[in-house]
Amino acid sequence: MLQLTQARDGRMHDKRQLEEAGLVEYIADEVATEGDLGFQELQNKCDNVHLSHGDR
């Protein structure tokens, strides 16, 4: 499943936009969730969240 939010001008972390859209509550703990570092701390609100750390 791919979840997209509306594009916005300016600087805003992906996680904040996801929260403002009210979508965090719909992320099921049983579903593996992948994201980039723009979703940092989402793993503290949902189980089974894996964030990529790029090419470090």
Side-chain angles (χ1 to χ4, degrees), residues 10-45:
R11 296 178 60 166
M12 180 183 289
H13 288 282
D14 297 329
K15 182 180 122 330
R16 181 173 173 196
Q17 187 169 347
L18 188 70
E19 290 173 334
E20 286 184 3
L23 300 174
V24 173
E25 64 189 73
Y26 295 107
I27 300 173
D29 289 334
E30 304 82 37
V31 176
T33 303
E34 300 284 333
D36 62 18
L37 292 179
F39 293 97
Q40 191 69 22
E41 296 190 21
L42 184 62
Q43 71 274 21
N44 297 331
K45 294 186 175 203

Side-chain angles (χ1 to χ4, degrees), residues 40-52:
Q40 191 69 22
E41 296 190 21
L42 184 62
Q43 71 274 21
N44 297 331
K45 294 186 175 203
C46 305
D47 292 338
N48 213 8
V49 173
H50 306 280
L51 303 179
S52 65

